[in-house]
Amino acid sequence: AQRVTQPEKLLSVFKGAPVELKCNYSYSGSPELFWYVQYSRQRLQLLLRHISRESIKGFTADLNKGETSFHLKKPFAQEEDSAMYYCALKGRNYTGANSKLTFGKGITLSVRP
Amino acid sequence: DAGVIQSPRHEVTEMGQEVTLRCKPISGHNSLFWYRQTMMRGLELLIYFNNNVPIDDSGMPEDRFSAKMPNASFSTLKIQPSEPRDSAVYFCASSRTLDYGYTFGSGTRLTVV
């Protein structure tokens, strides 16, 4: 079974403050991790995926297999970062085919001026 | 590319009525997913199809829910009869194959009164 845990529902910070959105996962095989973002009343959009090892809009996330975590970080938050963020996991079964994408419950990031 | 198209954007219906949500995936995408988003549960996968065939419907809450994909360019999610607890935003997503990232539609906001 695959599970994604986002322990916090809301994070409120001031503009310019560092941000860390926590994500922990449970999966017995080799996972692929993602962060999706949903701005107010918009569709979900892929923010980044761990295999790309890239920084998008100043956000980064490192897969830590020892801690089974994939926390999303940004050193200086901007007001336009205010949104709902979902961590997601896609597993690979032993035949190599990917399975479905499982989401955490999401966290609302609020960046105040 | 118009992306994943969902209709209607909003639906308000009375308890007991039948509701049909529609989704047009991106042309060439072979996998289609139906998710439900609520404040309490976050994003839940209801069912997904690969090459028009349902692969996993274990997330469908009960027999009142059914989904079809008669061809590669169209899918429906039907609730009959609807209940107030079905009120949520229903997202459709598609991907080129199960190995690729998902593209989400704008969602249908369903309110059952």
Side-chain angles (χ1 to χ4, degrees):
Chain A
Q2 53 198 57
R3 180 177 296 173
V4 177
T5 303
Q6 293 181 252
E8 300 156 332
K9 287 191 173 182
L10 171 67
L11 179 64
S12 183
V13 302
F14 285 106
K15 176 183 173 181
V19 168
E20 182 178 64
L21 306 181
K22 292 184 168 50
C23 173
N24 290 90
Y25 67 90
S26 173
Y27 185 66
S28 56
S30 178
E32 191 173 350
L33 276 296
F34 305 79
W35 276 98
Y36 279 79
V37 60
Q38 185 180 26
Y39 299 102
S40 180
R41 294 186 176 273
Q42 294 187 26
R43 68 186 69 195
L44 270 82
Q45 305 170 41
L46 178 63
L47 181 61
L48 53 81
R49 53 197 303 181
H50 90 269
I51 61 172
S52 300
R53 304 183 72 82
E54 57 193 345
S55 173
I56 304 294
K57 298 184 179 182
F59 285 97
T60 59
D62 292 317
L63 178 61
N64 186 324
K65 292 188 177 181
E67 296 182 358
T68 60
S69 68
F70 188 57
H71 303 327
L72 184 67
K73 299 178 183 179
K74 184 169 183 176
F76 307 104
Q78 303 299 315
E79 289 179 67
E80 55 265 30
D81 296 328
S82 295
M84 189 90 172
Y85 291 81
Y86 287 93
C87 182
L89 176 151
K90 185 186 284 188
R92 291 179 183 270
N93 63 27
Y94 292 103
T95 66
N98 273 352
S99 64
K100 59 193 176 187
L101 195 61
T102 298
F103 287 85
K105 291 190 176 182
I107 180 171
T108 299
L109 174 63
S110 173
V111 183
R112 292 169 286 171
Chain B
D1 185 354
V4 176
I5 299 173
Q6 290 187 247
S7 64
R9 289 295 303 272
H10 302 274
E11 176 80 32
V12 180
T13 190
E14 291 185 344
M15 181 174 65
Q17 296 297 308
E18 178 180 292
V19 175
T20 299
L21 312 181
R22 298 173 176 78
C23 176
K24 183 180 187 311
I26 291 174
S27 178
H29 281 195
N30 295 327
S31 300
L32 183 142
F33 310 82
W34 281 102
Y35 281 86
R36 178 171 66 177
Q37 183 184 43
T38 61
M39 290 291 290
M40 290 296 293
R41 296 173 178 263
L43 271 169
E44 302 173 279
L45 177 65
L46 300 177
I47 185 172
Y48 72 98
F49 297 83
N50 195 43
N51 294 321
N52 311 340
V53 176
I55 303 300
D56 184 350
D57 65 353
S58 59
M60 296 287 261
E62 46 197 275
D63 292 343
R64 298 184 297 106
F65 285 70
S66 62
K68 294 182 180 180
M69 192 164 186
N71 57 62
S73 60
F74 184 64
S75 176
T76 59
L77 177 68
K78 186 177 293 186
I79 308 173
Q80 167 63 18
S82 58
E83 296 183 2
R85 60 191 168 123
D86 302 330
S87 298
V89 180
Y90 291 81
F91 285 101
C92 176
S94 70
S95 67
R96 193 171 302 173
T97 68
L98 286 174
D99 290 349
Y100 272 72
Y102 297 12
T103 301
F104 281 82
S106 298
T108 294
R109 184 175 295 274
L110 173 65
T111 303
V112 183
V113 298

Short mmCIF file of all heavy atoms in Angstrom, two decimals, chain A residues 30-66:
data_model
loop_
_atom_site.label_atom_id
_atom_site.label_comp_id
_atom_site.label_asym_id
_atom_site.label_seq_id
_atom_site.Cartn_x
_atom_site.Cartn_y
_atom_site.Cartn_z
N SER A 30 10.07 1.39 -4.94
CA SER A 30 10.80 2.59 -5.33
C SER A 30 9.79 3.66 -5.74
O SER A 30 9.10 3.52 -6.74
CB SER A 30 11.73 2.27 -6.51
OG SER A 30 12.40 3.44 -6.93
N PRO A 31 9.66 4.73 -4.96
CA PRO A 31 8.61 5.70 -5.24
C PRO A 31 9.07 6.82 -6.17
O PRO A 31 10.26 7.09 -6.30
CB PRO A 31 8.31 6.26 -3.86
CG PRO A 31 9.65 6.26 -3.18
CD PRO A 31 10.39 5.06 -3.72
N GLU A 32 8.08 7.44 -6.76
CA GLU A 32 8.32 8.69 -7.47
C GLU A 32 7.46 9.75 -6.76
O GLU A 32 6.27 9.55 -6.57
CB GLU A 32 7.90 8.56 -8.93
CG GLU A 32 8.35 9.72 -9.79
CD GLU A 32 8.07 9.50 -11.26
OE1 GLU A 32 7.70 8.36 -11.64
OE2 GLU A 32 8.20 10.46 -12.03
N LEU A 33 8.07 10.84 -6.35
CA LEU A 33 7.38 11.86 -5.55
C LEU A 33 7.18 13.14 -6.33
O LEU A 33 8.03 13.53 -7.14
CB LEU A 33 8.17 12.16 -4.26
CG LEU A 33 8.00 11.25 -3.03
CD1 LEU A 33 6.58 11.33 -2.51
CD2 LEU A 33 8.39 9.83 -3.33
N PHE A 34 6.04 13.78 -6.05
CA PHE A 34 5.67 15.01 -6.73
C PHE A 34 5.13 16.03 -5.72
O PHE A 34 4.63 15.65 -4.66
CB PHE A 34 4.52 14.75 -7.73
CG PHE A 34 4.78 13.69 -8.75
CD1 PHE A 34 4.66 12.34 -8.42
CD2 PHE A 34 5.13 14.02 -10.04
CE1 PHE A 34 4.87 11.35 -9.36
CE2 PHE A 34 5.35 13.03 -10.99
CZ PHE A 34 5.22 11.70 -10.65
N TRP A 35 5.20 17.30 -6.11
CA TRP A 35 4.44 18.34 -5.43
C TRP A 35 3.55 19.00 -6.48
O TRP A 35 4.02 19.40 -7.55
CB TRP A 35 5.34 19.39 -4.79
CG TRP A 35 5.84 18.99 -3.43
CD1 TRP A 35 7.03 18.44 -3.11
CD2 TRP A 35 5.12 19.13 -2.19
NE1 TRP A 35 7.11 18.21 -1.76
CE2 TRP A 35 5.96 18.64 -1.17
CE3 TRP A 35 3.87 19.65 -1.84
CZ2 TRP A 35 5.58 18.62 0.18
CZ3 TRP A 35 3.49 19.63 -0.51
CH2 TRP A 35 4.34 19.12 0.49
N TYR A 36 2.25 19.10 -6.13
CA TYR A 36 1.29 19.81 -6.96
C TYR A 36 0.83 21.05 -6.21
O TYR A 36 0.77 21.07 -4.97
CB TYR A 36 0.07 18.93 -7.26
CG TYR A 36 0.28 17.94 -8.38
CD1 TYR A 36 0.97 16.75 -8.16
CD2 TYR A 36 -0.22 18.18 -9.66
CE1 TYR A 36 1.17 15.84 -9.19
CE2 TYR A 36 -0.03 17.27 -10.68
CZ TYR A 36 0.66 16.11 -10.45
OH TYR A 36 0.86 15.20 -11.47
N VAL A 37 0.47 22.09 -6.97
CA VAL A 37 -0.01 23.33 -6.36
C VAL A 37 -1.37 23.68 -6.95
O VAL A 37 -1.62 23.43 -8.13
CB VAL A 37 1.01 24.49 -6.56
CG1 VAL A 37 1.25 24.77 -8.04
CG2 VAL A 37 0.54 25.75 -5.86
N GLN A 38 -2.22 24.21 -6.11
CA GLN A 38 -3.55 24.64 -6.57
C GLN A 38 -3.78 26.06 -6.06
O GLN A 38 -4.00 26.26 -4.86
CB GLN A 38 -4.63 23.70 -6.04
CG GLN A 38 -6.02 24.00 -6.58
CD GLN A 38 -7.07 23.05 -6.04
OE1 GLN A 38 -6.92 22.48 -4.97
NE2 GLN A 38 -8.14 22.85 -6.80
N TYR A 39 -3.72 27.03 -6.96
CA TYR A 39 -4.03 28.40 -6.61
C TYR A 39 -5.55 28.55 -6.51
O TYR A 39 -6.29 27.73 -7.03
CB TYR A 39 -3.43 29.37 -7.62
CG TYR A 39 -1.93 29.27 -7.70
CD1 TYR A 39 -1.31 28.58 -8.74
CD2 TYR A 39 -1.11 29.81 -6.71
CE1 TYR A 39 0.07 28.45 -8.80
CE2 TYR A 39 0.26 29.67 -6.76
CZ TYR A 39 0.85 28.98 -7.81
OH TYR A 39 2.21 28.85 -7.84
N SER A 40 -5.96 29.63 -5.88
CA SER A 40 -7.37 29.79 -5.55
C SER A 40 -8.28 29.52 -6.75
O SER A 40 -8.18 30.17 -7.78
CB SER A 40 -7.62 31.20 -5.02
OG SER A 40 -8.97 31.37 -4.70
N ARG A 41 -9.14 28.52 -6.59
CA ARG A 41 -10.16 28.18 -7.59
C ARG A 41 -9.57 27.86 -8.97
O ARG A 41 -10.20 28.09 -9.99
CB ARG A 41 -11.20 29.28 -7.68
CG ARG A 41 -12.02 29.41 -6.41
CD ARG A 41 -13.16 30.39 -6.55
NE ARG A 41 -13.96 30.41 -5.33
CZ ARG A 41 -14.97 29.60 -5.08
NH1 ARG A 41 -15.32 28.69 -5.97
NH2 ARG A 41 -15.65 29.68 -3.95
N GLN A 42 -8.37 27.35 -8.98
CA GLN A 42 -7.76 26.92 -10.24
C GLN A 42 -7.50 25.42 -10.21
O GLN A 42 -7.66 24.78 -9.20
CB GLN A 42 -6.47 27.70 -10.50
CG GLN A 42 -6.67 29.18 -10.74
CD GLN A 42 -5.38 29.86 -11.15
OE1 GLN A 42 -4.48 29.24 -11.71
NE2 GLN A 42 -5.29 31.15 -10.89
N ARG A 43 -7.10 24.90 -11.33
CA ARG A 43 -6.81 23.47 -11.40
C ARG A 43 -5.47 23.16 -10.75
O ARG A 43 -4.62 24.04 -10.58
CB ARG A 43 -6.78 23.03 -12.86
CG ARG A 43 -5.62 23.56 -13.69
CD ARG A 43 -5.75 23.19 -15.15
NE ARG A 43 -6.85 23.88 -15.79
CZ ARG A 43 -7.37 23.53 -16.96
NH1 ARG A 43 -6.90 22.49 -17.61
NH2 ARG A 43 -8.37 24.20 -17.50
N LEU A 44 -5.30 21.93 -10.40
CA LEU A 44 -4.01 21.48 -9.87
C LEU A 44 -2.95 21.53 -10.96
O LEU A 44 -3.20 21.15 -12.10
CB LEU A 44 -4.10 20.05 -9.37
CG LEU A 44 -4.49 19.86 -7.92
CD1 LEU A 44 -5.99 19.94 -7.78
CD2 LEU A 44 -4.00 18.52 -7.41
N GLN A 45 -1.78 21.96 -10.57
CA GLN A 45 -0.67 22.02 -11.52
C GLN A 45 0.54 21.34 -10.89
O GLN A 45 0.77 21.46 -9.70
CB GLN A 45 -0.29 23.47 -11.81
CG GLN A 45 -1.39 24.36 -12.30
CD GLN A 45 -0.96 25.81 -12.32
OE1 GLN A 45 0.15 26.14 -12.71
NE2 GLN A 45 -1.84 26.68 -11.89
N LEU A 46 1.28 20.66 -11.72
CA LEU A 46 2.51 20.04 -11.24
C LEU A 46 3.51 21.14 -10.92
O LEU A 46 3.80 21.99 -11.76
CB LEU A 46 3.07 19.11 -12.30
CG LEU A 46 4.38 18.42 -11.97
CD1 LEU A 46 4.21 17.50 -10.76
CD2 LEU A 46 4.90 17.63 -13.16
N LEU A 47 4.06 21.11 -9.72
CA LEU A 47 5.07 22.08 -9.32
C LEU A 47 6.46 21.51 -9.58
O LEU A 47 7.27 22.13 -10.27
CB LEU A 47 4.90 22.45 -7.84
CG LEU A 47 5.87 23.48 -7.29
CD1 LEU A 47 5.72 24.81 -8.02
CD2 LEU A 47 5.64 23.69 -5.79
N LEU A 48 6.71 20.33 -9.02
CA LEU A 48 7.98 19.70 -9.31
C LEU A 48 7.91 18.21 -8.97
O LEU A 48 7.00 17.75 -8.28
CB LEU A 48 9.14 20.38 -8.56
CG LEU A 48 9.06 20.57 -7.06
CD1 LEU A 48 9.43 19.31 -6.30
CD2 LEU A 48 10.01 21.69 -6.61
N ARG A 49 8.89 17.48 -9.51
CA ARG A 49 8.98 16.04 -9.27
C ARG A 49 10.41 15.71 -8.88
O ARG A 49 11.35 16.36 -9.35
CB ARG A 49 8.55 15.25 -10.50
CG ARG A 49 9.27 15.63 -11.78
CD ARG A 49 8.57 15.14 -13.02
NE ARG A 49 8.37 13.70 -13.05
CZ ARG A 49 7.78 13.06 -14.06
NH1 ARG A 49 7.32 13.72 -15.09
NH2 ARG A 49 7.63 11.76 -14.02
N HIS A 50 10.57 14.73 -8.04
CA HIS A 50 11.90 14.53 -7.46
C HIS A 50 12.90 14.07 -8.50
O HIS A 50 14.09 14.39 -8.37
CB HIS A 50 11.81 13.54 -6.29
CG HIS A 50 11.99 12.10 -6.67
ND1 HIS A 50 10.93 11.28 -7.00
CD2 HIS A 50 13.11 11.33 -6.77
CE1 HIS A 50 11.38 10.08 -7.28
NE2 HIS A 50 12.70 10.07 -7.15
N ILE A 51 12.46 13.38 -9.53
CA ILE A 51 13.44 12.88 -10.49
C ILE A 51 14.03 14.00 -11.34
O ILE A 51 15.08 13.84 -11.94
CB ILE A 51 12.83 11.79 -11.39
CG1 ILE A 51 11.66 12.34 -12.20
CG2 ILE A 51 12.42 10.59 -10.57
CD1 ILE A 51 11.15 11.36 -13.23
N SER A 52 13.35 15.14 -11.37
CA SER A 52 13.85 16.26 -12.17
C SER A 52 14.93 17.03 -11.44
O SER A 52 15.73 17.72 -12.07
CB SER A 52 12.71 17.20 -12.53
OG SER A 52 11.73 16.51 -13.25
N ARG A 53 14.90 16.98 -10.11
CA ARG A 53 15.89 17.68 -9.28
C ARG A 53 16.02 19.15 -9.70
O ARG A 53 17.12 19.66 -9.86
CB ARG A 53 17.23 16.97 -9.35
CG ARG A 53 17.17 15.50 -8.95
CD ARG A 53 18.55 14.87 -8.98
NE ARG A 53 19.37 15.33 -7.86
CZ ARG A 53 19.31 14.83 -6.64
NH1 ARG A 53 18.46 13.87 -6.35
NH2 ARG A 53 20.10 15.29 -5.70
N GLU A 54 14.88 19.79 -9.92
CA GLU A 54 14.92 21.17 -10.38
C GLU A 54 14.28 22.08 -9.34
O GLU A 54 13.63 21.64 -8.40
CB GLU A 54 14.17 21.30 -11.71
CG GLU A 54 12.75 20.81 -11.65
CD GLU A 54 12.12 20.64 -13.03
OE1 GLU A 54 12.68 21.15 -14.00
OE2 GLU A 54 11.07 20.00 -13.11
N SER A 55 14.48 23.39 -9.55
CA SER A 55 13.86 24.38 -8.69
C SER A 55 12.81 25.12 -9.52
O SER A 55 13.12 25.63 -10.60
CB SER A 55 14.91 25.36 -8.16
OG SER A 55 14.30 26.41 -7.46
N ILE A 56 11.59 25.14 -9.03
CA ILE A 56 10.50 25.81 -9.72
C ILE A 56 9.96 26.92 -8.83
O ILE A 56 9.62 26.66 -7.67
CB ILE A 56 9.36 24.82 -10.06
CG1 ILE A 56 9.90 23.64 -10.87
CG2 ILE A 56 8.26 25.54 -10.81
CD1 ILE A 56 10.39 24.00 -12.24
N LYS A 57 9.92 28.13 -9.34
CA LYS A 57 9.43 29.29 -8.59
C LYS A 57 10.15 29.41 -7.25
O LYS A 57 9.58 29.87 -6.26
CB LYS A 57 7.91 29.18 -8.36
CG LYS A 57 7.11 29.17 -9.66
CD LYS A 57 5.61 29.16 -9.39
CE LYS A 57 4.85 29.16 -10.71
NZ LYS A 57 3.39 29.19 -10.51
N GLY A 58 11.39 28.98 -7.21
CA GLY A 58 12.18 29.09 -6.00
C GLY A 58 12.00 27.94 -5.03
O GLY A 58 12.66 27.88 -3.99
N PHE A 59 11.10 27.01 -5.35
CA PHE A 59 10.86 25.85 -4.50
C PHE A 59 11.78 24.70 -4.87
O PHE A 59 12.07 24.48 -6.04
CB PHE A 59 9.41 25.36 -4.65
CG PHE A 59 8.38 26.21 -3.97
CD1 PHE A 59 7.67 27.17 -4.69
CD2 PHE A 59 8.11 26.05 -2.63
CE1 PHE A 59 6.72 27.94 -4.07
CE2 PHE A 59 7.15 26.82 -2.00
CZ PHE A 59 6.45 27.78 -2.72
N THR A 60 12.22 23.99 -3.85
CA THR A 60 12.98 22.76 -4.05
C THR A 60 12.45 21.68 -3.12
O THR A 60 11.81 21.99 -2.10
CB THR A 60 14.47 22.96 -3.77
OG1 THR A 60 14.62 23.40 -2.40
CG2 THR A 60 15.10 23.97 -4.70
N ALA A 61 12.71 20.44 -3.48
CA ALA A 61 12.33 19.33 -2.62
C ALA A 61 13.31 18.21 -2.85
O ALA A 61 13.63 17.88 -3.99
CB ALA A 61 10.91 18.86 -2.92
N ASP A 62 13.81 17.65 -1.77
CA ASP A 62 14.76 16.55 -1.86
C ASP A 62 14.15 15.29 -1.29
O ASP A 62 13.58 15.31 -0.18
CB ASP A 62 16.05 16.89 -1.09
CG ASP A 62 16.83 18.00 -1.76
OD1 ASP A 62 16.94 17.96 -3.00
OD2 ASP A 62 17.30 18.91 -1.05
N LEU A 63 14.28 14.22 -2.03
CA LEU A 63 13.78 12.94 -1.55
C LEU A 63 14.77 12.35 -0.56
O LEU A 63 15.94 12.15 -0.89
CB LEU A 63 13.59 11.97 -2.72
CG LEU A 63 13.10 10.56 -2.37
CD1 LEU A 63 11.73 10.62 -1.70
CD2 LEU A 63 13.04 9.70 -3.62
N ASN A 64 14.32 12.10 0.65
CA ASN A 64 15.14 11.49 1.68
C ASN A 64 14.58 10.11 1.97
O ASN A 64 13.61 9.95 2.69
CB ASN A 64 15.12 12.35 2.96
CG ASN A 64 16.06 11.85 4.03
OD1 ASN A 64 16.24 10.64 4.20
ND2 ASN A 64 16.68 12.76 4.75
N LYS A 65 15.23 9.11 1.37
CA LYS A 65 14.69 7.75 1.51
C LYS A 65 14.85 7.22 2.92
O LYS A 65 14.04 6.43 3.38
CB LYS A 65 15.37 6.82 0.51
CG LYS A 65 15.00 7.13 -0.94
CD LYS A 65 15.53 6.09 -1.89
CE LYS A 65 15.08 6.38 -3.32
NZ LYS A 65 15.57 5.37 -4.28
N GLY A 66 15.89 7.68 3.63
CA GLY A 66 16.09 7.21 5.00
C GLY A 66 14.97 7.66 5.93
O GLY A 66 14.50 6.91 6.78
#
